[in-house]
Amino acid sequence: MDSIIFDLDGTIWDSIDTVLNAWNSIIKENDQIKRELTRKDLEGTMGLQMDDISRKLFPYLDDNTRKQLIIECCDVENEYLEKQGGVLYKNVEEVLKELSQKYKLYIVSNCQPGYIEAFYKYHNLKRYFLDFENPGRTGLSKGENINLIIERNNLSKPVYVGDTEGDLKAARYAGIPFVYAKYGFGQVSQYDDILEKFDDLVKMF
């Protein structure tokens, strides 16, 4: 193994409460939205791309309205995350620091442009990662974005660490081992290794 590619939400941090406040600040100003969102609503969208998230949360809106709403929510979300951050899982920086001395580290997340940058900025963790990718920038699936990272960085034996069935499918698409972050938001049908907590990575690798 020469590298570790990470999912972000439910794997490295939990940003739901900050994102929820950001989205509801937009939603409460929109008369077409039936109610404000809850944490449970957002938990049910973890691992999905933005188009799928919007259809799941706002099925009663037409496509154009939904797309515009998501753009507004994501823009405000990035602003909130830059100022408030999210909740890092226990010992994240210590683990990343140790892993980065032995392996190349990357992030591939289903998010909009600016989201990973906001994570880097607030928590000052950019120094541990060599590259990142997301569908907001490429328009590609998570599996395709994993392949982009692999090709762009000439990786030979990467693994992918994530917490949802979508992460599993992305790793399988890219043909690399999948490590399941059991402490995250999702449940998966299979995995190559499992983490009970983030700092288990030090013992695993």
Side-chain angles (χ1 to χ4, degrees), residues 17-51:
D17 290 338
T18 303
V19 172
L20 185 65
N21 289 334
W23 283 41
N24 279 335
S25 73
I26 297 297
I27 286 170
K28 65 185 180 183
E29 301 297 329
N30 192 318
D31 294 336
Q32 297 184 67
I33 310 299
K34 296 180 179 179
R35 62 175 178 83
E36 292 187 18
L37 298 174
T38 66
R39 181 180 172 89
K40 187 175 181 180
D41 290 327
L42 292 186
E43 285 178 349
T45 68
M46 291 296 105
L48 300 178
Q49 291 201 14
M50 281 300 166
D51 284 346

Side-chain angles (χ1 to χ4, degrees), residues 5 49 108 110 133-135 138-152 160 166-167 169-175:
I5 307 172
Q49 291 201 14
V108 172
N110 276 343
E133 202 50 90
N134 61 72
T138 66
L140 302 175
S141 70
K142 180 170 278 189
E144 291 170 319
N145 282 325
I146 290 174
N147 277 338
L148 269 184
I149 289 290
I150 292 171
E151 293 164 8
R152 197 157 67 207
Y160 189 69
D167 293 332
K169 291 177 180 178
R172 293 291 183 257
Y173 177 91

Side-chain angles (χ1 to χ4, degrees), residues 89-148:
Y89 291 114
K90 188 176 179 180
N91 297 327
V92 159
E93 182 162 11
E94 292 87 344
V95 171
L96 292 175
K97 183 177 181 180
E98 186 166 345
L99 290 175
S100 67
Q101 294 171 7
K102 298 185 289 183
Y103 305 104
K104 300 173 183 178
L105 306 184
Y106 306 90
I107 294 177
V108 172
S109 176
N110 276 343
C111 61
Q112 73 274 15
Y115 185 87
I116 297 173
E117 295 92 326
F119 160 75
Y120 283 162
K121 184 174 181 180
Y122 183 85
H123 293 286
N124 196 28
L125 295 176
K126 182 178 181 180
R127 72 188 92 173
Y128 302 113
F129 297 96
L130 299 177
D131 198 359
F132 69 90
E133 202 50 90
N134 61 72
R137 189 160 71 173
T138 66
L140 302 175
S141 70
K142 180 170 278 189
E144 291 170 319
N145 282 325
I146 290 174
N147 277 338
L148 269 184

Side-chain angles (χ1 to χ4, degrees), residues 49-76:
Q49 291 201 14
M50 281 300 166
D51 284 346
D52 296 321
I53 290 173
S54 68
R55 282 192 291 269
K56 185 168 185 177
L57 294 178
F58 312 109
Y60 50 87
L61 297 178
D62 64 73
D63 285 346
N64 288 336
T65 302
R66 227 175 14 234
K67 288 177 182 178
Q68 184 57 41
L69 175 64
I70 289 296
I71 290 171
E72 293 176 12
C73 285
C74 287
D75 286 345
V76 173

